[in-house]
């Protein structure tokens, strides 16, 4: 059994879901931010992930089937592109000429759903990892005590 | 009684299939958030059903080997609950195969030791 491949696949899934969790936490943390890193308003982010092709040296020579299972990877972290939420606060230092402050258009419900989905997916990856670990350890007991 | 070698090689092939299936299921679970991902399956038992006619001796059918393929049923999204069921099923299957192989080897060991421990 190729333990390393099974562990690496589950590990890649865990890191993708971890990043999704981090980005969601970042969005929630910035729900009231009126200034982003470049001075402009903060824009909500989302993680786009996809299936990865295995890049193992061995797979160059191996059958097509081994190249199919390469785990998951983050393709990009991009801005969602939603309009800012305008709140009338004339005394705010970031208010525009009309007295409106642009808060990020973060939808808390969406963020919580993404958060929970990422957590469940992470747990599923941990379960797959544990299954592979149990299988590998059981294989080590082979021929131990008949 | 089947020879030692044929049983061992047959169980080894089934263990390989279960190990490969673990990878396929892990890959499906890892890609639960990937848009457009087609779930992977392991093709093995189908080949055995096809090759069962050849199984008059106790030899592994020639050319039967497990391989990963994309879902033939046309599934286009990973169903996490189904994958988790398959994961548990596959882990138990793998362990039962190991147990069977272990027992087989201990029977052979008993035979070699003329029944003494």
């Amino acid at each position: 059994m190729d333990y390393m491949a099974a562990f690496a696949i589950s590990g890649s899934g865990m890191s993708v879901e971890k990043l999704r969790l981090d980005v969601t936490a970042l969005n929630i943390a910035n729900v009231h931010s009126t200034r982003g890193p470049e001075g402009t308003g903060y824009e909500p982010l989302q993680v786009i992930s996809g299936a990865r092709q295995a890049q193992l040296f061995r797979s160059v020579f191996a059958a097509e089937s081994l190249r199919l299972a390469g785990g998951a990877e983050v393709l990009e972290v991009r801005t969602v592109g939603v309009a800012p939420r305008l709140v009338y606060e004339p005394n705010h230092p970031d208010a525009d000429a009309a007295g409106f402050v642009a808060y990020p258009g973060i939808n808390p419900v969406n963020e919580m759903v993404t958060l929970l989905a990422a957590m469940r997916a992470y747990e599923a990856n941990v379960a797959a990892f544990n299954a592979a670990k149990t299988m590998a350890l059981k294989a080590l007991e082979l021929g131990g005590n008949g | 009684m089947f020879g030692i070698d044929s049983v061992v090689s047959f169980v080894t092939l089934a263990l390989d299939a279960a190990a490969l299936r673990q990878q396929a299921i892990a890959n499906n679970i890892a890609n639960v958030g990937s848009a457009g991902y087609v779930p992977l399956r392991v093709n093995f038992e189908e080949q055995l059903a096809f090759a069962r006619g050849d199984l008059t001796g106790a030899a592994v059918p020639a050319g039967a080997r497990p391989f990963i393929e994309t879902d033939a049923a046309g599934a286009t999204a990973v169903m996490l609950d189904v994958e988790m069921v398959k994961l548990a099923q596959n882990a138990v299957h793998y362990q039962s195969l190991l147990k069977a192989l272990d027992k087989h080897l201990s029977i052979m060991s008993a035979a070699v030791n003329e029944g003494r421990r």
Side-chain angles (χ1 to χ4, degrees):
Chain A
M1 179 177 172
D2 193 354
Y3 312 116
M4 289 308 142
F7 292 161
I9 288 168
S10 293
S12 72
M14 280 157 71
S15 63
V16 167
E17 299 307 332
K18 177 73 167 53
L19 184 70
R20 213 186 297 283
L21 210 71
D22 286 351
V23 166
T24 311
L26 187 67
N27 286 343
I28 295 173
N30 283 294
V31 74
H32 286 132
S33 300
T34 50
R35 280 174 228 173
E38 286 101 33
T40 57
Y42 175 82
E43 291 219 39
L45 300 171
Q46 73 179 138
V47 175
I48 308 295
S49 62
R52 179 171 61 192
Q53 300 279 303
Q55 292 296 323
L56 303 169
F57 172 73
R58 193 169 53 88
S59 71
V60 176
F61 305 102
E64 177 67 23
S65 73
L66 282 173
R67 245 171 289 160
L68 283 171
E73 67 181 346
V74 174
L75 299 177
E76 60 171 330
V77 179
R78 66 183 199 97
T79 55
V80 183
V82 290
R85 186 167 51 92
L86 295 175
V87 179
Y88 184 66
E89 286 179 29
N91 295 327
H92 197 287
D94 292 322
D96 62 7
F100 283 97
V101 179
Y103 286 103
I106 293 164
N107 183 341
V109 178
N110 276 354
E111 298 301 330
M112 288 312 290
V113 169
T114 310
L115 187 81
L116 287 173
M119 269 174 67
R120 295 295 163 257
Y122 189 92
E123 286 168 10
N125 277 297
V126 172
F129 181 89
N130 280 333
K133 198 177 108 183
T134 309
M135 284 162 70
L137 288 178
K138 281 282 172 193
L140 281 179
E141 290 174 14
L142 192 62
N145 43 9
Chain B
M1 189 173 186
F2 296 153
I4 304 176
D5 199 46
S6 64
V7 173
V8 170
S9 61
F10 210 15
V11 174
T12 305
L13 200 60
L15 281 170
D16 280 347
L20 202 61
R21 185 163 287 128
Q22 161 68 27
Q23 284 183 38
I25 295 168
N27 205 63
N28 291 343
I29 291 173
N31 282 294
V32 73
S34 304
Y37 173 77
V38 181
L40 302 180
R41 301 280 173 254
V42 169
N43 182 318
F44 180 59
E45 279 79 2
E46 295 89 331
Q47 297 175 51
L48 293 191
F50 188 70
R52 196 163 284 156
D54 296 344
L55 211 60
T56 45
V60 175
R65 60 170 188 86
F67 61 89
I68 294 181
E69 59 184 6
T70 50
D71 190 273
T76 51
V78 178
M79 285 192 288
L80 196 55
D81 45 359
V82 176
E83 297 297 334
M84 294 312 285
V85 169
K86 283 183 182 169
L87 183 75
Q89 191 181 14
N90 190 57
V92 171
H93 182 62
Y94 187 86
Q95 290 181 41
S96 57
L97 281 169
L98 277 176
K99 187 73 106 180
L101 185 58
D102 201 34
K103 288 287 174 210
H104 179 76
L105 292 175
S106 67
I107 287 170
M108 288 306 149
S109 168
V112 167
N113 291 321
E114 301 169 5
R116 286 173 305 209
R117 290 183 63 84

